[in-house]
């Protein structure tokens, strides 16, 4: 019987020495950390903080897609010399292309987040909210935005961004 107990103790010791998987955060803790990422996104955009903005993403080559409403596409086409010219309904890019474009603009650029909904199991999350994109005091576009997020060793990271966009039909006032 002693050899069986010794073998069992040895096995338990070996199992205890193996790296243990990290336990998922509880949803309330995850929500707080994800809400902090949402705030950091808005702050980095407003401050044109490229490095701070890029640290929020899992990688630079994540899905980054906007889809424009039919009304926005029709208004854009109406302004073309050849309204039959194909106009994409979607736009793409990368987080880096976005923040670099925003940083080059002299006027303030901000994004508001309302009705933020977070669904998470502590390892991955879906974040959905209503947004407005502002250029100074002018509401340039609005719609819904969706983020897929994952919890990494370095905290919560945005793994995909998809949004709808209704472009403001009223022209931006002259400065």
């Amino acid at each position: 019987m002693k050899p069986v107990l010794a073998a069992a103790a040895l096995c338990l010791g070996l199992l205890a020495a193996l790296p243990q998987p990290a336990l998922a955060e509880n949803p309330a803790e995850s929500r707080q950390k994800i809400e902090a990422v949402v705030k950091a996104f808005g702050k980095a955009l407003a401050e044109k903080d490229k490095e701070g903005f890029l640290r929020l993403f899992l990688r630079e080559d994540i899905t980054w897609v906007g889809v424009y409403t039919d009304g926005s596409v029709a208004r854009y086409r109406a302004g073309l010399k050849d309204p039959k010219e194909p106009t994409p309904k979607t736009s793409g890019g990368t987080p880096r292309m976005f923040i670099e474009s925003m940083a080059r603009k002299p006027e303030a650029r901000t994004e508001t987040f309302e009705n933020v909904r977070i669904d998470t199991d502590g390892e991955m999350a879906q974040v959905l909210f209503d947004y407005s994109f502002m250029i100074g005091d002018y509401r340039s576009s609005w719609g819904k935005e969706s983020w897929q997020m994952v919890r990494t060793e370095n905290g919560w990271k945005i793994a995909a961004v998809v949004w709808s966009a209704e472009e403001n039909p009223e022209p931006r006032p002259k400065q």
Side-chain angles (χ1 to χ4, degrees):
M1 188 67 147
K2 284 186 180 182
V4 171
L5 290 176
L10 179 62
C11 287
L12 287 174
L14 289 173
L15 285 174
L18 291 174
Q20 299 299 311
L23 298 176
E25 293 178 333
N26 72 56
E29 183 180 359
S30 293
R31 279 188 187 85
Q32 288 178 335
K33 291 179 180 178
I34 292 165
E35 287 168 354
V37 173
V38 173
K39 287 179 185 163
F41 183 101
K43 183 176 188 255
L45 176 60
E47 295 176 359
K48 301 179 182 186
D49 175 7
K50 293 183 217 176
E51 293 310 311
F53 187 80
L54 293 173
R55 278 194 299 271
L56 302 173
F57 297 90
L58 182 63
R59 299 185 309 266
E60 285 193 33
D61 64 343
I62 67 164
T63 297
W64 184 269
V65 177
V67 60
Y68 295 92
T69 64
D70 292 342
S72 293
V73 172
R75 285 188 297 278
Y76 179 79
R77 282 187 181 141
L80 294 174
K81 289 181 182 178
D82 179 5
K84 293 181 182 177
E85 180 181 320
T87 307
K89 185 159 169 63
T90 62
S91 69
T94 66
R96 179 175 294 279
M97 290 168 65
F98 174 73
I99 192 64
E100 286 180 350
S101 170
M102 296 301 105
R104 284 192 298 269
K105 310 291 185 194
E107 58 278 293
R109 308 278 171 142
T110 57
E111 187 171 349
T112 64
F113 310 94
E114 296 177 14
N115 197 22
V116 178
R117 284 128 15 236
I118 299 169
D119 187 15
T120 182
D121 65 359
E123 296 297 344
M124 59 80 63
Q126 167 70 38
V127 183
L128 181 67
F129 51 87
D130 301 321
Y131 79 92
S132 290
F133 188 80
M134 307 294 292
I135 301 174
D137 293 332
Y138 174 72
R139 187 176 181 213
S140 174
S141 62
W142 55 89
K144 299 228 180 262
E145 192 164 326
S146 171
W147 296 353
Q148 293 290 319
M149 297 185 72
V150 293
R151 186 172 69 93
T152 72
E153 297 83 11
N154 297 314
W156 283 93
K157 301 292 180 181
I158 303 168
V161 176
V162 179
W163 69 96
S164 63
E166 174 72 33
E167 299 288 325
N168 194 334
E170 296 297 320
R172 192 166 135 210
K174 300 286 183 201
Q175 297 295 326

